[in-house]
PDB file of all heavy atoms in Angstrom:
ATOM      1  N   ASP A   1       0.835  -1.210   0.004  1.00 91.00           N
ATOM      2  CA  ASP A   1      -0.007   0.003  -0.002  1.00 91.00           C
ATOM      3  C   ASP A   1       0.858   1.257   0.001  1.00 91.00           C
ATOM      4  O   ASP A   1       0.480   2.274  -0.577  1.00 91.00           O
ATOM      5  CB  ASP A   1      -0.978   0.011   1.172  1.00 91.00           C
ATOM      6  CG  ASP A   1      -0.291  -0.146   2.520  1.00 91.00           C
ATOM      7  OD1 ASP A   1       0.350   0.816   2.955  1.00 91.00           O
ATOM      8  OD2 ASP A   1      -0.402  -1.221   3.136  1.00 91.00           O
ATOM      9  N   LYS A   2       2.036   1.179   0.621  1.00 91.00           N
ATOM     10  CA  LYS A   2       2.945   2.335   0.566  1.00 91.00           C
ATOM     11  C   LYS A   2       3.748   2.387  -0.731  1.00 91.00           C
ATOM     12  O   LYS A   2       4.418   3.388  -1.012  1.00 91.00           O
ATOM     13  CB  LYS A   2       3.882   2.334   1.778  1.00 91.00           C
ATOM     14  CG  LYS A   2       4.924   1.263   1.805  1.00 91.00           C
ATOM     15  CD  LYS A   2       5.941   1.478   2.906  1.00 91.00           C
ATOM     16  CE  LYS A   2       5.327   1.375   4.274  1.00 91.00           C
ATOM     17  NZ  LYS A   2       4.955  -0.006   4.660  1.00 91.00           N
ATOM     18  N   GLY A   3       3.662   1.317  -1.536  1.00 93.00           N
ATOM     19  CA  GLY A   3       4.382   1.292  -2.796  1.00 93.00           C
ATOM     20  C   GLY A   3       3.900   2.348  -3.774  1.00 93.00           C
ATOM     21  O   GLY A   3       4.692   2.868  -4.571  1.00 93.00           O
ATOM     22  N   PHE A   4       2.634   2.717  -3.689  1.00 95.00           N
ATOM     23  CA  PHE A   4       2.095   3.720  -4.618  1.00 95.00           C
ATOM     24  C   PHE A   4       2.669   5.108  -4.321  1.00 95.00           C
ATOM     25  O   PHE A   4       3.003   5.862  -5.237  1.00 95.00           O
ATOM     26  CB  PHE A   4       0.560   3.733  -4.540  1.00 95.00           C
ATOM     27  CG  PHE A   4      -0.044   2.420  -4.925  1.00 95.00           C
ATOM     28  CD1 PHE A   4      -0.397   1.483  -3.963  1.00 95.00           C
ATOM     29  CD2 PHE A   4      -0.244   2.097  -6.253  1.00 95.00           C
ATOM     30  CE1 PHE A   4      -0.939   0.259  -4.309  1.00 95.00           C
ATOM     31  CE2 PHE A   4      -0.786   0.876  -6.630  1.00 95.00           C
ATOM     32  CZ  PHE A   4      -1.134  -0.050  -5.655  1.00 95.00           C
ATOM     33  N   VAL A   5       2.773   5.437  -3.040  1.00 96.00           N
ATOM     34  CA  VAL A   5       3.360   6.725  -2.700  1.00 96.00           C
ATOM     35  C   VAL A   5       4.860   6.727  -2.980  1.00 96.00           C
ATOM     36  O   VAL A   5       5.436   7.774  -3.285  1.00 96.00           O
ATOM     37  CB  VAL A   5       3.065   7.071  -1.225  1.00 96.00           C
ATOM     38  CG1 VAL A   5       3.933   6.291  -0.255  1.00 96.00           C
ATOM     39  CG2 VAL A   5       3.242   8.561  -0.958  1.00 96.00           C
ATOM     40  N   VAL A   6       5.498   5.560  -2.936  1.00 95.00           N
ATOM     41  CA  VAL A   6       6.910   5.448  -3.283  1.00 95.00           C
ATOM     42  C   VAL A   6       7.114   5.793  -4.760  1.00 95.00           C
ATOM     43  O   VAL A   6       8.064   6.498  -5.124  1.00 95.00           O
ATOM     44  CB  VAL A   6       7.426   4.028  -2.973  1.00 95.00           C
ATOM     45  CG1 VAL A   6       8.763   3.763  -3.667  1.00 95.00           C
ATOM     46  CG2 VAL A   6       7.588   3.838  -1.468  1.00 95.00           C
ATOM     47  N   LEU A   7       6.216   5.317  -5.627  1.00 96.00           N
ATOM     48  CA  LEU A   7       6.311   5.650  -7.048  1.00 96.00           C
ATOM     49  C   LEU A   7       6.184   7.156  -7.251  1.00 96.00           C
ATOM     50  O   LEU A   7       6.918   7.749  -8.040  1.00 96.00           O
ATOM     51  CB  LEU A   7       5.227   4.914  -7.839  1.00 96.00           C
ATOM     52  CG  LEU A   7       5.350   3.389  -7.914  1.00 96.00           C
ATOM     53  CD1 LEU A   7       4.141   2.796  -8.631  1.00 96.00           C
ATOM     54  CD2 LEU A   7       6.634   2.971  -8.623  1.00 96.00           C
ATOM     55  N   GLY A   8       5.245   7.770  -6.554  1.00 95.00           N
ATOM     56  CA  GLY A   8       5.099   9.226  -6.656  1.00 95.00           C
ATOM     57  C   GLY A   8       6.319   9.965  -6.135  1.00 95.00           C
ATOM     58  O   GLY A   8       6.753  10.968  -6.724  1.00 95.00           O
ATOM     59  N   MET A   9       6.897   9.467  -5.038  1.00 95.00           N
ATOM     60  CA  MET A   9       8.084  10.096  -4.455  1.00 95.00           C
ATOM     61  C   MET A   9       9.272  10.005  -5.409  1.00 95.00           C
ATOM     62  O   MET A   9      10.151  10.884  -5.396  1.00 95.00           O
ATOM     63  CB  MET A   9       8.423   9.428  -3.125  1.00 95.00           C
ATOM     64  CG  MET A   9       9.498  10.151  -2.318  1.00 95.00           C
ATOM     65  SD  MET A   9       8.964  11.757  -1.690  1.00 95.00           S
ATOM     66  CE  MET A   9       7.876  11.227  -0.345  1.00 95.00           C
ATOM     67  N   THR A  10       9.288   8.981  -6.261  1.00 95.00           N
ATOM     68  CA  THR A  10      10.357   8.845  -7.255  1.00 95.00           C
ATOM     69  C   THR A  10      10.398  10.059  -8.172  1.00 95.00           C
ATOM     70  O   THR A  10      11.459  10.621  -8.450  1.00 95.00           O
ATOM     71  CB  THR A  10      10.153   7.577  -8.094  1.00 95.00           C
ATOM     72  OG1 THR A  10      10.134   6.432  -7.219  1.00 95.00           O
ATOM     73  CG2 THR A  10      11.272   7.403  -9.114  1.00 95.00           C
ATOM     74  N   TYR A  11       9.234  10.482  -8.636  1.00 95.00           N
ATOM     75  CA  TYR A  11       9.166  11.653  -9.511  1.00 95.00           C
ATOM     76  C   TYR A  11       9.556  12.925  -8.772  1.00 95.00           C
ATOM     77  O   TYR A  11      10.204  13.809  -9.329  1.00 95.00           O
ATOM     78  CB  TYR A  11       7.749  11.800 -10.080  1.00 95.00           C
ATOM     79  CG  TYR A  11       7.443  10.910 -11.253  1.00 95.00           C
ATOM     80  CD1 TYR A  11       8.300   9.871 -11.643  1.00 95.00           C
ATOM     81  CD2 TYR A  11       6.274  11.083 -11.992  1.00 95.00           C
ATOM     82  CE1 TYR A  11       8.014   9.062 -12.718  1.00 95.00           C
ATOM     83  CE2 TYR A  11       5.973  10.271 -13.084  1.00 95.00           C
ATOM     84  CZ  TYR A  11       6.851   9.258 -13.432  1.00 95.00           C
ATOM     85  OH  TYR A  11       6.554   8.447 -14.510  1.00 95.00           O
ATOM     86  N   VAL A  12       9.158  13.027  -7.511  1.00 96.00           N
ATOM     87  CA  VAL A  12       9.468  14.220  -6.721  1.00 96.00           C
ATOM     88  C   VAL A  12      10.982  14.369  -6.530  1.00 96.00           C
ATOM     89  O   VAL A  12      11.545  15.444  -6.760  1.00 96.00           O
ATOM     90  CB  VAL A  12       8.752  14.180  -5.355  1.00 96.00           C
ATOM     91  CG1 VAL A  12       9.217  15.332  -4.468  1.00 96.00           C
ATOM     92  CG2 VAL A  12       7.249  14.261  -5.539  1.00 96.00           C
ATOM     93  N   LEU A  13      11.638  13.284  -6.121  1.00 95.00           N
ATOM     94  CA  LEU A  13      13.092  13.337  -5.938  1.00 95.00           C
ATOM     95  C   LEU A  13      13.814  13.484  -7.267  1.00 95.00           C
ATOM     96  O   LEU A  13      14.910  14.035  -7.331  1.00 95.00           O
ATOM     97  CB  LEU A  13      13.593  12.093  -5.202  1.00 95.00           C
ATOM     98  CG  LEU A  13      13.748  12.242  -3.681  1.00 95.00           C
ATOM     99  CD1 LEU A  13      12.385  12.416  -3.015  1.00 95.00           C
ATOM    100  CD2 LEU A  13      14.471  11.046  -3.081  1.00 95.00           C
ATOM    101  N   MET A  14      13.184  12.998  -8.335  1.00 94.00           N
ATOM    102  CA  MET A  14      13.805  13.098  -9.658  1.00 94.00           C
ATOM    103  C   MET A  14      14.013  14.553 -10.073  1.00 94.00           C
ATOM    104  O   MET A  14      14.961  14.872 -10.789  1.00 94.00           O
ATOM    105  CB  MET A  14      12.934  12.368 -10.690  1.00 94.00           C
ATOM    106  CG  MET A  14      13.576  12.196 -12.043  1.00 94.00           C
ATOM    107  SD  MET A  14      15.034  11.132 -12.008  1.00 94.00           S
ATOM    108  CE  MET A  14      14.279   9.567 -11.564  1.00 94.00           C
ATOM    109  N   ILE A  15      13.133  15.451  -9.634  1.00 94.00           N
ATOM    110  CA  ILE A  15      13.295  16.871  -9.985  1.00 94.00           C
ATOM    111  C   ILE A  15      14.008  17.645  -8.876  1.00 94.00           C
ATOM    112  O   ILE A  15      14.020  18.881  -8.884  1.00 94.00           O
ATOM    113  CB  ILE A  15      11.932  17.524 -10.291  1.00 94.00           C
ATOM    114  CG1 ILE A  15      10.997  17.496  -9.069  1.00 94.00           C
ATOM    115  CG2 ILE A  15      11.261  16.868 -11.490  1.00 94.00           C
ATOM    116  CD1 ILE A  15       9.733  18.305  -9.247  1.00 94.00           C
ATOM    117  N   GLY A  16      14.587  16.922  -7.915  1.00 91.00           N
ATOM    118  CA  GLY A  16      15.379  17.563  -6.875  1.00 91.00           C
ATOM    119  C   GLY A  16      14.571  18.147  -5.734  1.00 91.00           C
ATOM    120  O   GLY A  16      15.083  18.985  -4.986  1.00 91.00           O
ATOM    121  N   GLU A  17      13.316  17.725  -5.587  1.00 93.00           N
ATOM    122  CA  GLU A  17      12.471  18.201  -4.494  1.00 93.00           C
ATOM    123  C   GLU A  17      12.230  17.068  -3.505  1.00 93.00           C
ATOM    124  O   GLU A  17      12.733  15.953  -3.681  1.00 93.00           O
ATOM    125  CB  GLU A  17      11.140  18.741  -5.039  1.00 93.00           C
ATOM    126  CG  GLU A  17      11.279  19.813  -6.100  1.00 93.00           C
ATOM    127  CD  GLU A  17      11.856  21.121  -5.573  1.00 93.00           C
ATOM    128  OE1 GLU A  17      11.957  21.286  -4.355  1.00 93.00           O
ATOM    129  OE2 GLU A  17      12.211  21.980  -6.405  1.00 93.00           O
ATOM    130  N   ILE A  18      11.438  17.357  -2.482  1.00 94.00           N
ATOM    131  CA  ILE A  18      11.092  16.338  -1.488  1.00 94.00           C
ATOM    132  C   ILE A  18       9.710  16.674  -0.928  1.00 94.00           C
ATOM    133  O   ILE A  18       9.321  17.849  -0.876  1.00 94.00           O
ATOM    134  CB  ILE A  18      12.156  16.262  -0.374  1.00 94.00           C
ATOM    135  CG1 ILE A  18      12.041  14.956   0.407  1.00 94.00           C
ATOM    136  CG2 ILE A  18      12.072  17.454   0.558  1.00 94.00           C
ATOM    137  CD1 ILE A  18      13.235  14.688   1.308  1.00 94.00           C
ATOM    138  N   ASP A  19       8.983  15.649  -0.527  1.00 94.00           N
ATOM    139  CA  ASP A  19       7.643  15.841   0.027  1.00 94.00           C
ATOM    140  C   ASP A  19       7.493  14.992   1.278  1.00 94.00           C
ATOM    141  O   ASP A  19       7.425  13.762   1.200  1.00 94.00           O
ATOM    142  CB  ASP A  19       6.581  15.461  -1.006  1.00 94.00           C
ATOM    143  CG  ASP A  19       5.171  15.812  -0.552  1.00 94.00           C
ATOM    144  OD1 ASP A  19       5.000  16.185   0.630  1.00 94.00           O
ATOM    145  OD2 ASP A  19       4.239  15.719  -1.360  1.00 94.00           O
ATOM    146  N   ILE A  20       7.485  15.646   2.426  1.00 94.00           N
ATOM    147  CA  ILE A  20       7.335  14.903   3.676  1.00 94.00           C
ATOM    148  C   ILE A  20       5.919  15.013   4.251  1.00 94.00           C
ATOM    149  O   ILE A  20       5.680  14.687   5.408  1.00 94.00           O
ATOM    150  CB  ILE A  20       8.366  15.372   4.729  1.00 94.00           C
ATOM    151  CG1 ILE A  20       8.220  16.866   5.017  1.00 94.00           C
ATOM    152  CG2 ILE A  20       9.779  15.046   4.282  1.00 94.00           C
ATOM    153  CD1 ILE A  20       9.121  17.342   6.143  1.00 94.00           C
ATOM    154  N   SER A  21       4.997  15.474   3.399  1.00 94.00           N
ATOM    155  CA  SER A  21       3.601  15.576   3.842  1.00 94.00           C
ATOM    156  C   SER A  21       2.763  14.391   3.382  1.00 94.00           C
ATOM    157  O   SER A  21       1.561  14.349   3.639  1.00 94.00           O
ATOM    158  CB  SER A  21       2.972  16.873   3.305  1.00 94.00           C
ATOM    159  OG  SER A  21       2.800  16.814   1.904  1.00 94.00           O
ATOM    160  N   VAL A  22       3.372  13.421   2.683  1.00 95.00           N
ATOM    161  CA  VAL A  22       2.600  12.348   2.060  1.00 95.00           C
ATOM    162  C   VAL A  22       1.838  11.512   3.084  1.00 95.00           C
ATOM    163  O   VAL A  22       0.687  11.103   2.832  1.00 95.00           O
ATOM    164  CB  VAL A  22       3.507  11.450   1.193  1.00 95.00           C
ATOM    165  CG1 VAL A  22       3.946  12.175  -0.058  1.00 95.00           C
ATOM    166  CG2 VAL A  22       4.712  10.956   1.976  1.00 95.00           C
ATOM    167  N   ALA A  23       2.436  11.237   4.234  1.00 94.00           N
ATOM    168  CA  ALA A  23       1.745  10.439   5.246  1.00 94.00           C
ATOM    169  C   ALA A  23       0.513  11.176   5.767  1.00 94.00           C
ATOM    170  O   ALA A  23      -0.545  10.567   5.997  1.00 94.00           O
ATOM    171  CB  ALA A  23       2.691  10.114   6.405  1.00 94.00           C
ATOM    172  N   SER A  24       0.629  12.477   5.920  1.00 95.00           N
ATOM    173  CA  SER A  24      -0.514  13.280   6.370  1.00 95.00           C
ATOM    174  C   SER A  24      -1.605  13.333   5.291  1.00 95.00           C
ATOM    175  O   SER A  24      -2.794  13.346   5.608  1.00 95.00           O
ATOM    176  CB  SER A  24      -0.055  14.692   6.733  1.00 95.00           C
ATOM    177  OG  SER A  24       0.848  14.675   7.819  1.00 95.00           O
ATOM    178  N   ILE A  25      -1.180  13.365   4.013  1.00 96.00           N
ATOM    179  CA  ILE A  25      -2.159  13.340   2.924  1.00 96.00           C
ATOM    180  C   ILE A  25      -2.915  12.014   2.942  1.00 96.00           C
ATOM    181  O   ILE A  25      -4.142  11.970   2.766  1.00 96.00           O
ATOM    182  CB  ILE A  25      -1.473  13.554   1.562  1.00 96.00           C
ATOM    183  CG1 ILE A  25      -0.868  14.960   1.483  1.00 96.00           C
ATOM    184  CG2 ILE A  25      -2.462  13.353   0.419  1.00 96.00           C
ATOM    185  CD1 ILE A  25      -0.080  15.211   0.199  1.00 96.00           C
ATOM    186  N   ILE A  26      -2.196  10.926   3.175  1.00 96.00           N
ATOM    187  CA  ILE A  26      -2.833   9.609   3.264  1.00 96.00           C
ATOM    188  C   ILE A  26      -3.876   9.594   4.387  1.00 96.00           C
ATOM    189  O   ILE A  26      -5.001   9.122   4.207  1.00 96.00           O
ATOM    190  CB  ILE A  26      -1.782   8.509   3.486  1.00 96.00           C
ATOM    191  CG1 ILE A  26      -0.879   8.363   2.256  1.00 96.00           C
ATOM    192  CG2 ILE A  26      -2.439   7.172   3.818  1.00 96.00           C
ATOM    193  CD1 ILE A  26       0.296   7.428   2.450  1.00 96.00           C
ATOM    194  N   ALA A  27      -3.480  10.107   5.557  1.00 95.00           N
ATOM    195  CA  ALA A  27      -4.392  10.140   6.694  1.00 95.00           C
ATOM    196  C   ALA A  27      -5.619  11.002   6.393  1.00 95.00           C
ATOM    197  O   ALA A  27      -6.761  10.610   6.685  1.00 95.00           O
ATOM    198  CB  ALA A  27      -3.673  10.658   7.923  1.00 95.00           C
ATOM    199  N   LEU A  28      -5.400  12.174   5.805  1.00 96.00           N
ATOM    200  CA  LEU A  28      -6.513  13.068   5.489  1.00 96.00           C
ATOM    201  C   LEU A  28      -7.449  12.444   4.458  1.00 96.00           C
ATOM    202  O   LEU A  28      -8.674  12.477   4.621  1.00 96.00           O
ATOM    203  CB  LEU A  28      -5.982  14.397   4.963  1.00 96.00           C
ATOM    204  CG  LEU A  28      -7.028  15.431   4.519  1.00 96.00           C
ATOM    205  CD1 LEU A  28      -7.987  15.757   5.654  1.00 96.00           C
ATOM    206  CD2 LEU A  28      -6.345  16.691   3.996  1.00 96.00           C
ATOM    207  N   CYS A  29      -6.895  11.858   3.401  1.00 95.00           N
ATOM    208  CA  CYS A  29      -7.720  11.217   2.365  1.00 95.00           C
ATOM    209  C   CYS A  29      -8.526  10.067   2.948  1.00 95.00           C
ATOM    210  O   CYS A  29      -9.718   9.896   2.622  1.00 95.00           O
ATOM    211  CB  CYS A  29      -6.835  10.716   1.234  1.00 95.00           C
ATOM    212  SG  CYS A  29      -6.088  12.010   0.231  1.00 95.00           S
ATOM    213  N   SER A  30      -7.891   9.280   3.804  1.00 95.00           N
ATOM    214  CA  SER A  30      -8.586   8.163   4.439  1.00 95.00           C
ATOM    215  C   SER A  30      -9.743   8.649   5.308  1.00 95.00           C
ATOM    216  O   SER A  30     -10.846   8.096   5.252  1.00 95.00           O
ATOM    217  CB  SER A  30      -7.594   7.357   5.288  1.00 95.00           C
ATOM    218  OG  SER A  30      -8.244   6.304   5.973  1.00 95.00           O
ATOM    219  N   CYS A  31      -9.485   9.694   6.083  1.00 95.00           N
ATOM    220  CA  CYS A  31     -10.526  10.242   6.967  1.00 95.00           C
ATOM    221  C   CYS A  31     -11.670  10.844   6.169  1.00 95.00           C
ATOM    222  O   CYS A  31     -12.853  10.649   6.503  1.00 95.00           O
ATOM    223  CB  CYS A  31      -9.927  11.277   7.907  1.00 95.00           C
ATOM    224  SG  CYS A  31      -8.840  10.582   9.171  1.00 95.00           S
ATOM    225  N   VAL A  32     -11.341  11.598   5.118  1.00 95.00           N
ATOM    226  CA  VAL A  32     -12.394  12.208   4.282  1.00 95.00           C
ATOM    227  C   VAL A  32     -13.254  11.126   3.650  1.00 95.00           C
ATOM    228  O   VAL A  32     -14.496  11.218   3.646  1.00 95.00           O
ATOM    229  CB  VAL A  32     -11.770  13.111   3.207  1.00 95.00           C
ATOM    230  CG1 VAL A  32     -12.829  13.522   2.183  1.00 95.00           C
ATOM    231  CG2 VAL A  32     -11.150  14.347   3.836  1.00 95.00           C
ATOM    232  N   MET A  33     -12.613  10.088   3.132  1.00 95.00           N
ATOM    233  CA  MET A  33     -13.363   8.987   2.513  1.00 95.00           C
ATOM    234  C   MET A  33     -14.281   8.323   3.532  1.00 95.00           C
ATOM    235  O   MET A  33     -15.460   8.039   3.233  1.00 95.00           O
ATOM    236  CB  MET A  33     -12.397   7.952   1.929  1.00 95.00           C
ATOM    237  CG  MET A  33     -13.100   6.794   1.232  1.00 95.00           C
ATOM    238  SD  MET A  33     -11.935   5.693   0.364  1.00 95.00           S
ATOM    239  CE  MET A  33     -11.003   5.047   1.767  1.00 95.00           C
ATOM    240  N   GLY A  34     -13.793   8.097   4.745  1.00 93.00           N
ATOM    241  CA  GLY A  34     -14.606   7.473   5.779  1.00 93.00           C
ATOM    242  C   GLY A  34     -15.760   8.349   6.211  1.00 93.00           C
ATOM    243  O   GLY A  34     -16.892   7.869   6.413  1.00 93.00           O
ATOM    244  N   VAL A  35     -15.508   9.641   6.368  1.00 94.00           N
ATOM    245  CA  VAL A  35     -16.537  10.565   6.829  1.00 94.00           C
ATOM    246  C   VAL A  35     -17.671  10.696   5.803  1.00 94.00           C
ATOM    247  O   VAL A  35     -18.859  10.606   6.142  1.00 94.00           O
ATOM    248  CB  VAL A  35     -15.926  11.950   7.137  1.00 94.00           C
ATOM    249  CG1 VAL A  35     -17.025  12.997   7.330  1.00 94.00           C
ATOM    250  CG2 VAL A  35     -15.059  11.881   8.386  1.00 94.00           C
TER     251      VAL A  35
END
């Protein structure tokens, strides 16, 4: 399940950036879907 965000992180690091909010995005998306 974390493999999908790993694929996305590949593109982010490829352009020299980083995203450490992905876990929070997962939590927010999960909560919104449940609500």
Side-chain angles (χ1 to χ4, degrees):
D1 56 73
K2 69 170 65 71
F4 299 96
V5 76
V6 165
L7 293 175
M9 190 68 75
T10 301
Y11 279 11
V12 173
L13 265 67
M14 190 65 66
I15 62 171
E17 305 292 349
I18 198 167
D19 187 350
I20 59 175
S21 69
V22 289
S24 297
I25 294 176
I26 293 172
L28 177 57
C29 290
S30 177
C31 289
V32 169
M33 182 173 65
V35 168

